[in-house]
Each structure stands twice: as C-alpha cells, then as structure tokens.
Amino acid sequence: AQSVTQPDIHITVSEGASLELRCNYSYGATPYLFWYVQSPGQGLQLLLKYFSGDTLVQGIKGFEAEFKRSQSSFNLRKPSVHWSDAAEYFCALYSGTYKYIFGTGTRLKVLA
Amino acid sequence: EPEVTQTPSHQVTQMGQEVILRCVPISNHLYFYWYRQILGQKVEFLVSFYNNEISEKSEIFDDQFSVERPDGSNFTLKIRSTKLEDSAMYFCASSGSGAYNEQFFGPGTRLTVL
C-alpha cells in the first residue's frame, strides 16, 4: 500500500543548529516526493520536490532533501535553523492516481 | 506569479446547513483537487477533477459532498448538510498538464460547523 510516514511528531532544535526531518514512503515505482511547510493558520508552501535525477534536491529557504531509494526515505535537512522556520512540515507522495498522500507532519519548535 | 485563491477564508455555519467553498485555480491548469485538514491532523485527499468529471474520490467524499466547475475559472466544493465533524481547513489545489505535476495549493478555507 502507498503510504508516507513521518516518525517524529515534534522536534525541538536551538536556533543555529542543524535540522533533519525524517520521511519514509511506501510506493511500488519511482516516487514523486514533496516537502511542504505550513505556518500556523496558513496554507501549504512547497519547499522542494523530487521527480527524478539528482537525489539531492535543493529547495527554498535553505532546505534540501535527499532521496534514498534503498531506505525508502526522503529526509529534509537544513544546516542552520532560524527562528522563522518554526512551523509544521509535511512530506507528501504522489500516488500515481491524481492525489497526494501526506504524512502526519512534524511540528518544529525553535529555541532562541 | 499565478496562484490558487480561495474564498471565503473562514466560514462559520450551523449544523445541517449547506456550504459552498470556492476556489479559483491557476488559469491554465487542467487538474483540480480538494483536500481537508482537521485541526491538528494530516492533510487528507477528498477529490480530484479533470475534464469536467471526478477522477478519483476518497471514502470521505460521500454523497454529502459535490464538486463543480461552473464556469471557466471557478472550482467549488459543496457540502449539502454540514456536520460537526466537517469542521476543518479545506484546501483547493490545481496542477498543469500532467496529474503528476506539482500541485499548487490555495491558502485554505477554515470551515467551522456549530
């Protein structure tokens, strides 16, 4: 079955520290993967996407993600977190049938 | 930069009332979607729409829900008789020439059913 798992519900990091948010997927073919960020009360903003090619994908706001087929993972990283990065982050998978499947999200808290 | 817009941003209604949520997708897009996010939970797919018909719908999308593209620009979600559990943020999205293309999301409509 197609699914997206984000194992960490909450993550707290200090400002300036590095960040890695985990995402694991289950899909039978080459996946199309996305990371979205949602600030409180706001919509979904696309951070980055993976369709094919280079497995290290660069996105906006200094984020990057690495696709690892062997681990069925698409983890999101940022070398130095800013207080404004506090938000909820969703990993999503294109299902192959018109819809995205979202993970349950990881809420990021940034300590000053 | 083109964007998906949604109105209203917040809708409050009484249980049993009908609501219509409106979306204006990006103008040259061909695929349209509705998603729902109950407070504190993940985003869930409701329905996709292409070529003036539903392409896929989830089990959430029961007979109380309908979608329509009444003209060349709007895409609506109607809930015929709202229930308390319909309270959620509803996101509209659209994508271009391929269904696998990136979906662009609107800012959402927060629906509160009292």
Side-chain angles (χ1 to χ4, degrees):
Chain A
Q2 300 158 355
S3 66
V4 176
T5 302
Q6 293 181 248
D8 305 304
I9 298 173
H10 296 279
I11 281 187
T12 300
V13 300
S14 297
E15 191 170 20
S18 64
L19 172 70
E20 182 168 30
L21 302 182
R22 296 184 290 165
C23 172
N24 293 99
Y25 68 89
S26 175
Y27 189 68
T30 299
Y32 298 139
L33 295 159
F34 308 83
W35 273 100
Y36 285 86
V37 61
Q38 184 182 34
S39 297
Q42 302 298 311
L44 298 164
Q45 182 181 23
L46 180 70
L47 286 175
L48 47 78
K49 60 190 176 187
Y50 172 78
F51 280 1
S52 65
D54 194 345
T55 56
L56 186 62
V57 180
Q58 301 298 319
I60 63 171
K61 304 186 178 187
F63 285 92
E64 66 178 26
E66 186 171 12
F67 171 66
K68 293 185 178 180
R69 184 187 299 277
S70 61
Q71 298 178 18
S72 298
S73 69
F74 187 56
N75 293 349
L76 182 71
R77 301 194 294 247
K78 187 169 184 178
S80 178
V81 170
H82 188 261
W83 64 265
S84 60
D85 293 324
E88 185 136 26
Y89 292 79
F90 291 95
C91 183
L93 165 74
Y94 173 64
S95 72
T97 58
Y98 301 102
K99 68 186 181 193
Y100 284 11
I101 297 170
F102 282 84
T104 49
T106 297
R107 185 169 297 278
L108 174 66
K109 183 176 179 180
V110 180
L111 300 176
Chain B
E1 185 176 333
E3 58 183 17
V4 176
T5 59
Q6 290 184 242
T7 55
S9 57
H10 192 188
Q11 173 91 44
V12 181
T13 189
Q14 295 291 326
M15 189 170 56
Q17 295 296 303
E18 174 184 286
V19 295
I20 297 176
L21 310 183
R22 291 183 166 79
C23 168
V24 179
I26 294 173
S27 62
N28 62 346
H29 282 184
L30 302 175
Y31 296 82
F32 313 110
Y33 314 84
W34 284 101
Y35 291 81
R36 175 181 87 173
Q37 184 184 31
I38 294 173
L39 186 64
Q41 299 185 24
K42 69 176 178 180
V43 178
E44 301 173 290
F45 170 79
L46 290 178
V47 66
S48 60
F49 191 85
Y50 170 70
N51 200 25
N52 284 319
E53 60 183 27
I54 290 174
S55 306
E56 185 174 355
K57 60 183 180 180
S58 72
E59 58 188 24
I60 302 169
F61 194 88
D62 60 23
D63 292 342
Q64 293 298 314
F65 292 88
S66 63
V67 290
E68 191 179 30
R69 189 155 162 80
D71 52 42
S73 60
N74 290 284
F75 180 51
T76 62
L77 174 70
K78 181 193 290 186
I79 309 174
R80 289 190 185 80
S81 178
T82 50
K83 308 184 194 70
L84 295 177
E85 54 264 36
D86 293 327
S87 295
M89 181 75 91
Y90 289 81
F91 292 106
C92 173
S94 68
S95 64
S97 57
Y100 58 85
N101 280 355
E102 175 187 345
Q103 294 184 14
F104 292 80
F105 286 82
T109 293
R110 179 162 299 285
L111 176 65
T112 301
V113 182
L114 302 176

